[in-house]
Amino acid sequence: MKVLVAVKRVVDYNVKIRVKSDKSGVDLNNVKFSMNPFDEIAVEEAVRLKEQGQASEVVVVSLGSASCQETLRTALAMGADRAILVQSDAELQPLAVAKLLHAVAEREQPQLIILGKQAIDDDCNQTGQMLAQLGNWSQGTFASKLAFDGDSLQVTREVDGGLETVQLGLPAVVTSDLRLNEPRYASLPNIMKAKKKPLEVVEAHNLGVDIAPRLSTLKVEEPPVRQGGIKVGSVAELMAKLQNDAKVI
Amino acid sequence: MTILVIAEHDNKVLAPATLNTVAAAAKIGGDIHVLVAGQGAGAVAEAAAKIAGVSKVLNADNAAYAHQLPENVAPLVAELGKGYSHILAAATSNGKNILPRVAAALDVDQISEIISVESADTFKRPIYAGNAIATVQSNAAVKVITVRATGFDPVAAVGGSASVESVAAAHDAAISSFVGEELAKSDRPELTAAKIVVSGGRGMQNGDNFKHLYALADKLGAAVGASRAAVDAGFVPNDMQVGQTGKIVAPQLYIAVGISGAIQHLAGMKDSKVIVAINKDEEAPIFQVADYGLVADLFEAIPELEKLV
């Protein structure tokens, strides 16, 4: 079984982002980038499936500028077999990404596609679901556990009230939640080996997909700043403030 | 302009988040219809018909919709949705699961977790864990949107008198099935709707110590939340997690106990009206957003606070 994993290059989760003064977006110059944390979990799961003998090949794909190659090399160092970069310098919104991934999946014919449940930059939480719809595939979003059962897949999902388990026919699209696994660190020898693994570059416009954005971002602003509060000296003082000043108890 | 709101429910009870979603629809303006897709959810449809401002309820009753499987519900919503200007659902795990699929079926981009309506085609939504607010405009014929419940005050659950119509359309993709669920049971208020939330973090040290928070919460009539650290350490189940990847809450009072205040946690609670932080470490970032901070050992402060309530 072939597994396709989609990874995104995003601003590192520890970075305190700055909004540009002209409100056109977030300042991405001289900022540390890394693989989207949910996608690391997706790669880890695919590599574990290979180690368990469930998967025969793990292909990682990323979409965007040439700098995404770095993200793909990270995935190769974690244990993926080969990588595909769908190169485009245009702004790619989730629907465009889903269409490009669908085109790649048509070519690669994977039985399972794993994505992160959301990217920590746009916080959309859409791409996996859109991809599943485009391919008419089943979906297991917010997955915290995968179990194969013959020709089908059981996915335990994190839902609002607790956990839910669904059975999916293959091919299926799965999006990873934080609790699916603990991603490994790539060792230095594996990072060196990853440099020799195949990385194919495909131009997005050659995939014959309409990637024009449907949404335009008019402006990006700082959220309202909370007023700095006060420190109280005792529990009794805290209680008095909550009852008399804030009137919330 | 007619807006279709997807009801959030469990076949028995209409979830409160639906009322916030209808409030967002009312801000857009136009006729509001509510779709109840489920099995034997007649009581939900009746409740939806009473929501203030709703003019019609569509009741799609079919075994294929019983567990809100997106493979079956999304084609139904996409088919019905073609005649609407907007399709809205609450940004719950169901809404997030189904709506992007609907958007792809309609060949439009979806707008996630809006927190305000600027006009019929322009909306605000948080990005980068709530550290920036984007104003986005959609040129799509049908705008497919999930609504962050805490961004909109709920409309009245009663006062409306909409007609209920049955929808015959049955979509069963037969590529997925429901196996089972394990829902956390609690007598406390639902986390996302509670007026007061008491949350614990790594500082709680173990799951047993959460009993101190439960005792305080029960006296306050509060819900109990947690940071990712507390969930990952196995102190409490993950459906209690507040943050970028957990639940978004905006209660009247949020009490953060033993929580440092990482960006990802703040994303889920910084719109709370009053924030209280109780932490031993006076340098903890949580104090930068707290209205009232108490530097103290939580194991002394919490029982004392409980006695005073």
Side-chain angles (χ1 to χ4, degrees), chain A residues 219, chain B residues 116-124 135:
Chain A
K219 62 181 173 186
Chain B
S116 91
V117 173
E118 304 295 295
S119 72
D121 67 358
T122 308
F123 309 91
K124 285 193 175 179
T135 305

Side-chain angles (χ1 to χ4, degrees), chain A residues 99 121-124 126 129 137 139 141 158 160 163 165 167 169 179 216 218-219 221 226 232, chain B residues 71 96-97 101 107 110 112 125 128 133 135 137 175 177 180 182 238 241 244 247 270 272 291 293:
Chain A
K99 286 181 177 181
D121 52 0
D122 63 24
D123 280 337
C124 276
Q126 298 172 5
Q129 295 90 313
W137 297 315
Q139 72 184 48
T141 53
E158 307 217 343
D160 288 340
L163 299 171
T165 304
Q167 182 118 10
R179 269 162 286 278
S216 47
L218 303 183
K219 62 181 173 186
E221 298 163 290
R226 276 194 87 94
V232 293
Chain B
E71 296 85 352
K96 292 176 188 173
N97 199 24
R101 230 181 142 113
D107 195 29
Q110 191 231 286
S112 293
R125 59 175 303 263
Y128 288 91
I133 307 295
T135 305
Q137 189 172 40
I175 49 176
S177 56
E182 270 176 67
N238 62 279
Q241 185 178 332
Q244 183 183 21
K247 295 198 171 105
K270 70 179 176 185
S272 304
D291 299 279

Side-chain angles (χ1 to χ4, degrees), chain A:
Chain A
M1 183 184 72
K2 191 194 276 189
V3 182
L4 185 69
V5 184
V7 296
K8 184 176 184 183
R9 178 177 182 263
V10 297
V11 172
D12 188 87
Y13 71 98
N14 275 318
V15 170
K16 175 89 180 83
I17 56 119
R18 281 187 318 272
V19 172
K20 286 189 203 165
S21 53
D22 67 358
K23 298 189 177 176
S24 64
V26 167
D27 192 353
L28 301 179
N29 289 319
N30 305 316
V31 170
K32 186 185 174 199
F33 279 81
S34 47
M35 191 191 298
N36 181 42
F38 292 97
D39 303 347
E40 282 187 341
I41 294 168
V43 173
E44 174 67 32
E45 194 66 18
V47 172
R48 287 187 190 187
L49 290 175
K50 192 176 175 199
E51 288 167 351
Q52 290 158 11
Q54 301 274 12
S56 51
E57 188 183 26
V58 176
V59 182
V60 280
V61 53
S62 190
L63 306 89
S65 65
S67 45
C68 296
Q69 290 199 22
E70 202 183 301
T71 314
L72 288 169
R73 290 286 173 205
T74 307
L76 293 171
M78 287 174 72
D81 297 298
R82 62 188 171 88
I84 302 169
L85 170 63
V86 178
Q87 193 160 307
S88 167
D89 289 323
E91 184 201 347
L92 296 175
Q93 291 173 356
L95 182 64
V97 172
K99 286 181 177 181
L100 292 168
L101 287 174
H102 181 238
V104 171
E106 294 270 272
R107 207 184 67 174
E108 294 285 337
Q109 297 286 322
Q111 287 292 93
L112 176 63
I113 307 176
I114 315 181
L115 301 84
K117 79 163 179 180
Q118 77 189 57
I120 59 164
D121 52 0
D122 63 24
D123 280 337
C124 276
N125 195 334
Q126 298 172 5
T127 308
Q129 295 90 313
M130 288 176 160
L131 173 62
Q133 173 64 33
L134 295 175
N136 254 324
W137 297 315
S138 57
Q139 72 184 48
T141 53
F142 325 144
S144 60
K145 195 175 161 212
L146 303 188
F148 283 92
D149 177 10
D151 283 344
S152 66
L153 175 65
Q154 281 214 352
V155 179
T156 303
R157 308 178 52 234
E158 307 217 343
V159 295
D160 288 340
L163 299 171
E164 174 189 279
T165 304
V166 289
Q167 182 118 10
L168 307 178
L170 299 178
V173 175
V174 165
T175 72
S176 60
D177 215 314
L178 285 172
R179 269 162 286 278
L180 184 58
N181 60 47
E182 183 91 28
R184 70 192 66 189
Y185 286 102
S187 64
L188 187 60
N190 284 343
I191 292 170
M192 301 310 289
K193 267 187 237 162
K195 291 185 178 173
K196 295 201 181 83
K197 289 186 180 175
L199 192 159
E200 180 193 358
V201 179
V202 181
E203 291 295 331
H205 57 80
N206 289 340
L207 288 172
V209 168
D210 166 24
I211 56 171
R214 308 291 205 271
L215 293 178
S216 47
T217 300
L218 303 183
K219 62 181 173 186
V220 174
E221 298 163 290
E222 299 260 2
V225 181
R226 276 194 87 94
Q227 292 296 320
I230 55 161
K231 287 221 173 111
V232 293
S234 69
V235 173
E237 191 186 344
L238 172 64
M239 195 61 196
K241 293 278 186 202
L242 291 178
Q243 282 173 327
N244 305 327
D245 296 359
K247 297 190 178 18
V248 283
I249 289 184

Side-chain angles (χ1 to χ4, degrees), chain B residues 98-187:
Chain B
I98 293 167
L99 274 218
R101 230 181 142 113
V102 172
L106 295 170
D107 195 29
V108 298
D109 256 301
Q110 191 231 286
I111 309 174
S112 293
E113 303 222 14
I114 62 162
I115 53 169
S116 91
V117 173
E118 304 295 295
S119 72
D121 67 358
T122 308
F123 309 91
K124 285 193 175 179
R125 59 175 303 263
I127 54 175
Y128 288 91
N131 289 299
I133 307 295
T135 305
V136 295
Q137 189 172 40
S138 165
N139 62 15
V142 185
K143 290 156 186 68
V144 181
I145 299 167
T146 60
V147 175
R148 181 174 286 191
T150 57
F152 299 87
D153 292 329
V155 296
V158 290
S161 55
S163 58
V164 179
E165 252 176 46
S166 284
V167 176
H171 294 269
D172 190 350
I175 49 176
S176 63
S177 56
F178 174 83
V179 177
E181 61 190 356
E182 270 176 67
L183 300 183
K185 287 198 173 56
S186 162
D187 296 333

